[in-house]
Amino acid sequence: MERVEHRACFGGWQDVYQHASATLGCVMRFAIYLPPQAGHTKVPVLYWLSGLTCSEQNFITKAGAQRYAAEHGIAIVCPDTSPRGDAVADAEGYDLGKGAGFYVNATQAPWAAHYQMHDYVAHELPAVIEANFAVTSARAISGHSMGGHGALTLALRNPGLYRSVSAFSPIVAPMQVPWGQKAFAAYLGDDVTTWAQYDACALIKAAAEKLPILIDQGEADEFLDGQLKPWLLKGAADASGYPVCLRMQPGHDHSYYFIASFIGEHIAHHAFNLKSV
Amino acid sequence: MERVEHRACFGGWQDVYQHASATLGCVMRFAIYLPPQAGHTKVPVLYWLSGLTCSEQNFITKAGAQRYAAEHGIAIVCPDTSPRGDAVADAEGYDLGKGAGFYVNATQAPWAAHYQMHDYVAHELPAVIEANFAVTSARAISGHSMGGHGALTLALRNPGLYRSVSAFSPIVAPMQVPWGQKAFAAYLGDDVTTWAQYDACALIKAAAEKLPILIDQGEADEFLDGQLKPWLLKGAADASGYPVCLRMQPGHDHSYYFIASFIGEHIAHHAFNLKSV
């Protein structure tokens, strides 16, 4: 593992590392914010999953989250959004291939060789983080858009892995919208029972663990009606008695200005859950 | 004037406009953050000047300033760093020409035709802002690196124009460092008496107005010893009884992670001065 960026930030350090991922079969980068408290004690970790086209850089440069992480004493780990490198399959368009891993374990050629983002984020990355940094095994997860889908499905599929979950503008029903249908057909093939294992609306109906979910969604989001449809998750959650707090935010779009405006409240939500268990 | 971006942010709006600048003879973009208070009253304005290679975008996407501007009820206006467009002269390298206007009024060909950034920022832009938005004529100014030089020299050259001034990692002595010497030779020619009109260390010795200056400087800044040398300004200020608070910040570099870590304190500094006069 090699540190490739190291920057003082709000009394802690905003670092970027690269490492050889066994799960993905390629070199991956991740960002980690270590708050000042990590200098003298172990801190819990929030995993942040970014959206289509993003890398480990977008959240750390644009969300303004470090201030809140420093206040609450929480580390933030941001993986990349897909496997990377010349050996990794790619496709035309921003919504499939590199930058668009959708946090699934691909079963279809040519994707299956490297696109195992679910297992990377759920298993390999936490093991790397917990072996190498001053962190506890208390974990939370959040993300934006495709990464909101990732956060919700990772939490719903893996009881006990996280103590807290939230999302911004998540793709809640990938089986029912164009982004998800295109990606799942490519990565997972034709069997929709496999698709359902990565669909928050499907998973929430049978969830064994009911972590309260906080979702913020901009009312002026250009993808709201075509790709996101958060009311589908709210409806499924209400029907099965799962607690989802969906907040529709007037005027806000799909951008990082939206995330920046509410990331402080999400980090407070995670800090409460991470420290109260 | 045309609005080209409009994004909800911390209860206010992060907008970007373009307009035809008479001073610069080209179309210019500027960003303006309008805090929630601007919906029902006039608010004071902080002008932010960015550094080499930047446009109106860098500060608004990376500094995390909107939260503090919303708390204090201050608008923030960010101009571009040079004239733009196909008709505007440019040069090889990142430190001369487009993206590197140095906030001077050029006197030399081919630069003089458009590179009049001092007058644009000091005169035309405030007139545009104060005629078109819910703002008062209470102005503050700050900036980073080349923009820190711009903030200091604009404040020192124009008594009464601003009520408050600060800088991050400013070029305080352009006459004595490579960035400044290259730019001033090109834009201003060989007469160093002209150079001295844009050199904070030279200007501070004869300043008619003594606005307290707040400067933050990272100790790990890769440009500290070669281009910035803030101790030169501190020495000149001390010798002439001008109040400069220079804070050396351990571990911090030249990046926006540094600016983000301390922009809240700068905005509080400006808010105090803008509202107490």
Side-chain angles (χ1 to χ4, degrees), chain A residues 79-96:
Chain A
D80 204 343
T81 58
S82 76
R84 297 285 181 179
D86 293 342
V88 172
D90 201 1
E92 296 287 320
Y94 70 96
D95 53 359
L96 187 66

Side-chain angles (χ1 to χ4, degrees), chain A residues 85-243:
Chain A
D86 293 342
V88 172
D90 201 1
E92 296 287 320
Y94 70 96
D95 53 359
L96 187 66
K98 292 179 189 176
F102 270 85
Y103 307 101
V104 303
N105 295 332
T107 59
Q108 307 296 303
W111 310 106
H114 297 283
Y115 285 76
Q116 303 293 321
M117 287 295 291
H118 173 275
D119 282 358
Y120 175 70
V121 175
H123 305 305
E124 185 178 8
L125 186 59
V128 168
I129 298 300
E130 289 163 26
N132 288 282
F133 298 96
V135 301
T136 70
S137 59
R139 307 174 201 99
I141 192 161
S142 186
H144 175 236
S145 196
M146 176 184 75
H149 145 76
L152 295 173
T153 56
L154 276 149
L156 290 165
R157 283 170 60 102
N158 297 282
L161 188 57
Y162 305 104
R163 296 188 185 180
S164 188
V165 57
S166 76
F168 289 81
S169 330
I171 304 168
V172 300
M175 297 174 74
Q176 301 180 52
V177 302
W179 276 341
Q181 290 165 344
K182 176 178 177 180
F184 284 12
Y187 296 141
L188 304 174
D190 295 335
D191 181 0
V192 294
T193 61
T194 310
W195 295 24
Q197 297 170 26
Y198 299 102
D199 183 289
C201 282
L203 290 165
I204 207 164
K205 294 173 185 167
E209 179 187 60
K210 289 187 164 62
L211 293 181
I213 295 174
L214 170 64
I215 297 176
D216 275 308
Q217 171 62 56
E219 287 187 350
D221 189 321
E222 54 271 41
F223 302 111
L224 177 58
D225 291 324
Q227 305 279 8
L228 305 177
K229 304 177 189 279
W231 47 85
L232 295 177
L233 186 69
K234 182 64 177 165
D238 289 349
S240 60
Y242 193 114

